[in-house]
Amino acid sequence: MRVSAESRSPSPLARSLSEREAAARLARDGYNELPSARPRRIWVIAWDVVREPMLVLLVAAAAVYLVVGDHGEALALALSVAVMIGITLHQQRKTERALNALRALASPRAQVHRDGSWRTVAGREVVIGDLLRIKEGDRVAADAHVETASDLMTDESLLTGESVPVAKRAGDPGDPPAQPGGDGLPWIYSGTLVTRGQGLARVVATGGATMMGRIGGQLATIVEKPTALERETRRAVAAFAAIGGALCVAVAAWYGIFREAWLQGLLGGITLAMAILPEEFPVVLTVFMALGAWRIAKSGVLTRRASAIEALGAAAVLCVDKTGTLTENRMAVARLVAARSLIDPPCADAVGAVGAATGPDTGIDALVEVLALASEQDAFDPMERALLREATTRLPSLATRLARWALAHSYPLSPAQLSVARIWRPEAGPYRVAAKGAPEAIADLCGLSASERASVLGTVDAMARDGLRVLAAASGEWPIAAEGSTPWPDSQRGLALGFAGLVGLADPVREGVPEAIGERRCAGIRTVMITGDHAATARSIARAIGLADGADVVTGRDLDAMSPAALRGCVATVDVYARVMPEHKLRLVEGFKANGQIVAMTGDGVNDAPALRAADIGVAMGRRGSDVAREAAALVLLDDDFASLVTAVRLGRRIYGNLRKAIRYIISVHVPTVGMSLLPLVAGWPLLMFPIHVVFLELVIDPACAIAFEAEPSEPDAMRRPPRPVAARLFDPWTLAEAFGEGAIAFAAVAAVYAAALALGVGEREARSIGFASIVLANLALIVGNRVGDDGFAGMLRPNPALWWIVGATLVALAATLYLPPVAALLRTARLTGAGLAASALPALLTVGGIALWHMLRRARTASRRARAPL
């Protein structure tokens, strides 16, 4: 994308482009859109899947069977590879479709002057040099230099965080570029909203070269790192894969050298490696994140990066952007002060809060009427819309009266006069004059005395300290000329006006925000507000939401003067930051991370995007949020409901707790699988399992059990615990010890049953059937045993319909391996009698009993320690 240095012409229309010139510039500069990450191609995803160690082992086993002529076994293994690849590709396509739908906010349409006429084009087709026609309600399609302006104002909150619109003026050739946010600038910016007036502007930057695009470009400098859980899982898989590979070679060589059975040794080695390799770790992690994203989406939160779900349970700091996140990003009347309380002896009734009852003598109703008369009746400006809403509430009959009145004359806002005035002709009597604007300007128009002016401005300062945007109002009359033609004064200063009062407007707090912050506080999560607004406004909002008493507010200028060490100390204690620019937000997030805390940040503006990407968990607003913010964030609040994050955090903690149970189960279930793959080789028994048996366990039981654990309900005190420590490990020594101990119980029981079957002289196929059924049933026992949580045996009794579906499906599949001849032939099993089935169930009973006894002893020991502990 490119930036132009073209300047304003005395005649804007004379320099309009032709369609041919526009097409050439579009081909040269590209479309007027922000660059976004391209989705990975299907063949790239498939190649990543095929390189997984488990699939490599499956392909190797299929090749061996193919060489020896066992085409059925080779086909079964090849089909399992295809199923795994298909599932992964399907999940990736669903993710891409969700992201494309999220980015499908319509590109703003733009009116451009080409070939001597005005035409409407898609915003992405606007090019440098185009002359834009903008009016109230338009979304600006590109950065542009204003060439003509009539009462033009824009809302730049997406770029600055300020919800108050700023005025624009027609510029001059050679105007230097300026940052957004100031009044009276001749520049408009891509993505901002025209709230008032109209004008013409020459495009000077498109796409990535716009102010929005340059802020978005900061995202490319932030390197995304794998989460601690992903790194830990990768290390565990790599370690087990190395052990499995070494044992595979050793077993194959030992069998070949000492027994001269190279083929059986190779198959036994591959089976052992497959049994050792915990490829379920990444599979379970993927399943938990995918289903977790689905559950969170049901509460109105879209997950763009599943790794953020894992981080939710450890989030200790939530950095919140004020505008549009804590507040509604719209103005509302918060306070009304009638003139009689300012320039007459004080009158308590002359100060009205929103919703307060007022009478005819208080002056509040008269003030509201003046403010409504001074506003556009079909307003788009957020402050005027707020004033009209207030008038509709307090004065229901005003709209009916105005419908019979005619607007006779108006005076627009100008840099020389920061007020507007509108003159109405009623059905009878003189003209009604209503004016509103900056308090200083209205005070001058009304000719207030020094003491009256001091009283008014003192009240204005007090209201501003409460975070209110303050306007003043004035009213008067103008006589109707006898000849029917009324000569209007050249400016508002020629009107005879009397001071009517003050109005304080505020961006109201979103419903449910104080409660959500209180619940996060109970969960040990600290909320920090970061805004580009004034310190007084930030302090007022902080008090309104119960965030802090407002004693400590740090500004962006203060942050500029801080060293990295001072910044780390500041973020440890201060909860409110004001007048913050995008680079400050990014630095604050990095400061929290430097203190070793997991940071989440919410925001909706382009100015939030770099910090959203840098945070461990970036949360964007879906409705009001900018496309850049949504692209940068890991989570998107689809309904812009800040309180939805409470549900997301609760689900994040539930997901991680259930993931620990699933990991403990996976480790424990590998112990009997590995043991029964190795023991027959060492003891000289017939092989119990071949690769196809391990595939059965992996494809039927293990992923299904991951679903069962994922569906486990949340533990009752999940939101009354502090966040998970950053240093907490999924594979901590205690978890590993418990898992290996549970697996050892199952292995010993299965080995004893298989050895007894061989000792009793049953056939090889029947013994394999007993041993394989024992492993499958012991697997189910380990699922039940690993449901125990911090609430003890109550965890086993918590309702979980998915678990019983899994148990039923597993038993059906096991029956098929024993009693369906084609499947039994493939797995080399035989039908079992009642005695064989009873023997197969014995290891499951012993496993459940052993786990239950262990947890009973552990809980008794814990209770004893607590009883002996000093108070």
Side-chain angles (χ1 to χ4, degrees):
M1 304 302 170
R2 301 180 56 187
V3 179
S4 170
E6 298 179 53
S7 60
R8 186 181 65 145
S9 161
S11 176
L13 297 182
R15 295 180 56 244
S16 63
L17 300 178
S18 66
E19 285 291 351
R20 179 175 296 180
E21 289 173 320
R25 296 191 182 194
L26 189 64
R28 179 192 70 187
D29 301 337
Y31 284 110
N32 177 34
E33 56 190 6
L34 300 179
S36 59
R38 294 182 178 179
R40 293 192 302 166
R41 298 183 183 275
I42 291 180
W43 66 267
V44 175
I45 302 171
W47 175 244
D48 288 343
V49 177
V50 169
R51 290 187 299 169
E52 290 293 330
M54 175 58 74
L55 290 182
V56 172
L57 290 173
L58 287 174
V59 171
V64 172
Y65 280 118
L66 192 62
V67 169
V68 300
D70 193 340
H71 296 155
E73 192 105 13
L75 178 61
L77 295 178
L79 286 175
S80 67
V81 173
V83 168
M84 289 184 179
I85 295 175
I87 291 174
T88 304
L89 293 179
H90 176 67
Q91 290 176 340
Q92 183 70 22
R93 292 297 298 274
K94 286 182 66 177
T95 300
E96 291 299 332
R97 283 196 295 270
L99 296 183
N100 289 335
L102 180 64
R103 288 193 293 263
L105 285 181
S107 174
R109 310 293 289 177
Q111 281 195 318
V112 298
H113 197 263
R114 295 179 184 171
D115 287 330
S117 64
W118 291 102
R119 58 194 64 192
T120 301
V121 300
R124 68 194 300 263
E125 297 175 4
V126 171
V127 299
I128 291 174
D130 265 331
L131 184 67
L132 298 177
R133 180 162 66 184
I134 53 175
K135 64 183 185 303
E136 186 175 294
D138 286 349
R139 181 75 65 177
V140 179
D143 287 6
H145 183 248
V146 180
E147 301 201 347
T148 68
S150 175
D151 200 17
L152 182 63
M153 301 186 76
T154 62
D155 178 355
E156 298 178 350
S157 61
L158 284 179
L159 295 171
T160 66
E162 295 273 8
S163 56
V164 178
V166 292
K168 300 295 178 181
R169 64 171 176 83
D172 299 311
D175 281 331
Q179 294 292 318
D183 267 317
L185 295 177
W187 302 95
I188 56 176
Y189 304 95
S190 175
T192 59
L193 186 67
V194 180
T195 61
R196 185 171 182 165
Q198 58 187 354
L200 302 178
R202 185 78 58 183
V203 174
V204 297
T206 60
T210 62
M211 187 63 64
M212 180 184 290
R214 277 180 281 172
I215 292 177
Q218 296 180 30
L219 305 180
T221 65
I222 301 171
V223 179
E224 291 186 43
K225 299 179 180 179
T227 66
L229 182 56
E230 290 173 329
R231 294 193 299 270
E232 192 174 359
T233 301
R234 290 176 186 175
R235 287 195 298 267
V237 172
F240 280 106
I243 295 172
L247 287 177
C248 174
V249 173
V251 167
W254 182 80
Y255 230 78
I257 294 172
F258 294 101
R259 297 195 178 186
E260 298 182 354
W262 288 98
L263 179 60
Q264 191 174 17
L266 182 58
L267 289 174
I270 291 176
T271 302
L272 178 61
M274 291 173 62
I276 292 176
L277 184 65
E279 97 296 339
E280 300 96 342
F281 288 161
V283 171
V284 167
L285 184 59
T286 301
V287 169
F288 268 64
M289 297 302 107
L291 292 180
W294 171 73
R295 292 184 187 279
I296 291 176
K298 291 174 66 177
S299 65
V301 182
L302 179 67
T303 303
R304 293 194 70 252
R305 289 195 290 275
S307 59
I309 300 174
E310 173 251 322
L312 278 171
V317 178
L318 176 60
C319 298
V320 187
D321 182 72
K322 176 189 74 67
T323 304
T325 307
L326 294 175
T327 64
E328 298 180 5
N329 199 18
R330 67 175 181 87
M331 302 303 291
V333 174
R335 192 177 306 168
L336 293 160
V337 183
R340 60 190 302 179
S341 69
L342 299 170
I343 59 178
D344 289 336
C347 173
D349 293 335
V351 179
V354 175
T358 56
D361 297 329
T362 64
I364 295 295
D365 286 352
L367 171 61
V368 171
E369 180 173 328
V370 172
L371 290 167
L373 291 174
S375 302
E376 291 281 354
Q377 298 307 297
D378 188 19
F380 197 84
D381 179 87
M383 289 191 291
E384 291 195 335
R385 292 168 69 96
L387 296 175
L388 292 174
R389 283 196 304 269
E390 186 70 15
T392 300
T393 301
R394 290 182 179 269
L395 307 171
S397 63
L398 179 61
T400 304
R401 282 189 287 136
L402 284 181
R404 297 192 296 266
W405 292 10
L407 180 64
H409 193 65
S410 64
Y411 295 90
L413 184 77
S414 68
Q417 183 61 46
L418 298 179
S419 61
V420 297
R422 296 165 66 82
I423 304 176
W424 294 85
R425 181 166 187 172
E427 294 178 286
Y431 290 100
R432 291 284 305 277
V433 182
K436 64 175 173 45
E440 297 87 347
I442 295 295
D444 290 341
L445 290 179
C446 295
L448 298 183
S449 66
S451 61
E452 292 172 338
R453 183 184 179 92
S455 175
V456 168
L457 297 184
T459 303
V460 169
D461 289 341
M463 294 171 71
R465 286 195 296 271
D466 289 337
L468 301 180
R469 170 78 169 181
V470 185
L471 297 177
S475 63
E477 296 180 348
W478 190 261
I480 298 177
E483 63 274 14
S485 176
T486 303
W488 305 113
D490 293 335
S491 72
Q492 299 176 50
R493 295 184 181 276
L495 300 170
L497 298 174
F499 192 76
L502 301 172
V503 59
L505 299 106
D507 189 0
V509 172
R510 284 182 179 273
E511 184 179 357
V513 166
E515 293 79 8
I517 289 178
E519 188 167 353
R520 283 188 180 85
R521 188 178 293 113
C522 292
I525 300 174
R526 178 182 166 204
T527 304
V528 174
M529 185 171 72
I530 302 176
T531 178
D533 219 329
H534 297 276
T537 303
R539 185 178 290 108
S540 175
I541 294 295
R543 287 197 299 264
I545 63 178
L547 181 59
D549 59 8
D552 294 325
V553 177
V554 173
T555 66
R557 183 174 298 178
D558 298 330
L559 294 174
D560 287 333
M562 290 184 186
S563 65
L567 177 65
R568 290 196 298 272
C570 174
V571 298
T573 57
V574 178
D575 291 338
V576 182
Y577 298 86
R579 282 303 189 192
V580 172
M581 296 299 291
E583 58 269 22
H584 296 137
K585 295 185 177 185
L586 179 59
R587 193 173 175 217
L588 282 168
V589 169
E590 292 173 343
F592 284 112
K593 295 175 73 173
N595 283 343
Q597 295 175 306
I598 300 295
V599 183
M601 176 178 174
T602 66
D604 63 349
V606 175
N607 59 328
D608 298 322
L612 288 175
R613 178 62 62 86
D616 298 286
I617 311 163
V619 186
M621 297 295 160
R623 290 181 181 175
R624 299 177 184 267
S626 66
D627 205 26
V628 172
R630 289 192 297 270
E631 194 73 29
L635 302 176
V636 178
L637 300 185
L638 297 178
D639 54 3
D640 288 7
D641 186 359
F642 177 76
S644 297
L645 280 179
V646 175
T647 303
V649 170
R650 184 185 297 110
L651 287 172
R653 294 187 175 189
R654 166 187 167 180
I655 290 167
Y656 189 84
N658 289 343
L659 184 59
R660 285 182 63 89
K661 297 175 185 177
I663 292 297
R664 190 172 63 190
Y665 156 74
I666 290 170
I667 295 173
S668 64
V669 81
H670 272 75
V671 174
T673 306
V674 172
M676 295 311 298
S677 298
L678 182 61
L679 183 60
L681 295 173
V682 175
W685 299 343
L687 292 179
L688 172 60
M689 293 190 298
F690 291 91
I692 192 64
H693 296 91
V694 179
V695 169
F696 178 92
L697 294 173
E698 304 292 350
L699 292 182
V700 178
I701 298 179
D702 292 345
C705 292
I707 295 173
F709 280 112
E710 193 281 332
E712 279 287 290
S714 179
E715 296 186 13
D717 62 342
M719 289 300 286
R720 295 193 297 272
R721 305 174 188 168
R724 186 177 71 250
V726 176
R729 296 180 57 190
L730 194 62
F731 299 91
D732 61 83
W734 181 253
T735 298
L736 293 176
E738 278 195 325
F740 281 116
E742 294 170 357
I745 296 172
F747 166 58
V750 172
V753 169
Y754 186 57
L758 293 175
L760 293 174
V762 302
E764 179 180 328
R765 280 181 172 255
E766 186 176 353
R768 180 175 295 115
S769 298
I770 294 173
F772 182 65
S774 297
I775 288 183
V776 172
L777 296 177
N779 191 320
L780 296 178
L782 288 170
I783 296 175
V784 175
N786 278 283
R787 295 185 70 205
V788 176
D790 291 343
D791 53 348
F793 290 106
M796 290 187 180
L797 304 178
R798 282 195 299 267
N800 186 348
L803 171 64
W804 303 113
W805 281 104
I806 295 306
V807 170
T810 302
L811 294 177
V812 170
L814 177 60
T817 65
L818 299 176
Y819 300 106
L820 286 181
V823 181
L826 184 63
L827 273 72
R828 306 177 194 183
T829 57
R831 297 173 63 90
L832 288 180
T833 62
L837 290 173
S840 300
L842 185 59
L845 298 175
L846 293 175
T847 300
V848 170
I851 294 175
L853 179 61
W854 163 250
H855 283 287
M856 185 183 301
L857 293 174
R858 189 186 68 170
R859 288 179 62 81
R861 185 179 180 185
T862 302
S864 176
R865 285 180 175 179
R866 289 176 179 174
R868 293 196 304 267
L871 297 177

